[in-house]
Amino acid sequence: QVQLVESGGGLVQAGGSVRLSCAVSGRDVSSYTMGWFRQAPGKERVFVGHITADVTWRRGTTYYVDSVKGRFTISRDNAKNMVYLQMNSLKVEDTAVYYCATTNSRNEYAYWGQGTQVTVSS
């Protein structure tokens, strides 16, 4: 029922920018935490950042790991049911397959997209 599809990856020069999209079906993106992960060649999948659900008393908030803080921005378009990962000032070490994911009722990441490749060239 819940499906996530990433798009927007490709080849980009170091210092450049890429905007990844995650189209979500089966649930509202505003109602659950939406996370971004990445997996570099030969490495394990790691967490990049997330945007939390909108609730009555607050808007969802973002969090990023230190390695991308200040360069990456997660946003959400509730009307389109889309989540985005804007990546600026890209570095070669950002090269990875990027995945969007969302949580279940236990706040565990349970639903994953197929991934989209981002390759940063020097």
Side-chain angles (χ1 to χ4, degrees):
Q1 180 79 346
V2 178
Q3 288 187 294
L4 293 76
V5 180
E6 303 96 334
S7 62
L11 179 64
V12 61
Q13 187 180 15
S17 299
V18 170
R19 180 179 169 100
L20 305 182
S21 300
C22 178
V24 180
S25 60
R27 63 165 56 180
D28 293 334
V29 296
S30 63
S31 298
Y32 298 86
T33 294
M34 302 294 303
W36 285 95
F37 296 75
R38 66 186 182 185
Q39 186 170 20
K43 304 292 185 179
E44 295 183 351
R45 184 181 297 176
V46 297
F47 173 76
V48 173
H50 70 228
I51 183 166
T52 61
D54 291 335
V55 294
T56 301
W57 58 93
R58 64 159 174 81
R59 296 288 306 280
T61 58
T62 55
Y63 171 82
Y64 310 93
V65 296
D66 288 344
S67 60
V68 308
K69 195 171 299 181
R71 301 188 298 120
F72 290 12
T73 303
I74 298 171
S75 61
R76 184 169 57 207
D77 187 332
N78 295 341
K80 296 181 178 180
N81 217 41
M82 300 278 290
V83 179
Y84 306 97
L85 178 63
Q86 177 69 47
M87 302 187 292
N88 299 326
S89 302
L90 283 163
K91 306 174 180 179
V92 172
E93 49 263 44
D94 294 319
T95 295
V97 176
Y98 283 75
Y99 300 87
C100 63
T102 190
T103 55
N104 59 18
S105 60
R106 299 172 63 184
N107 206 34
E108 304 165 333
Y109 285 104
Y111 307 100
W112 298 82
Q114 83 288 351
T116 185
Q117 175 73 45
V118 175
T119 302
V120 183
S121 62
S122 62

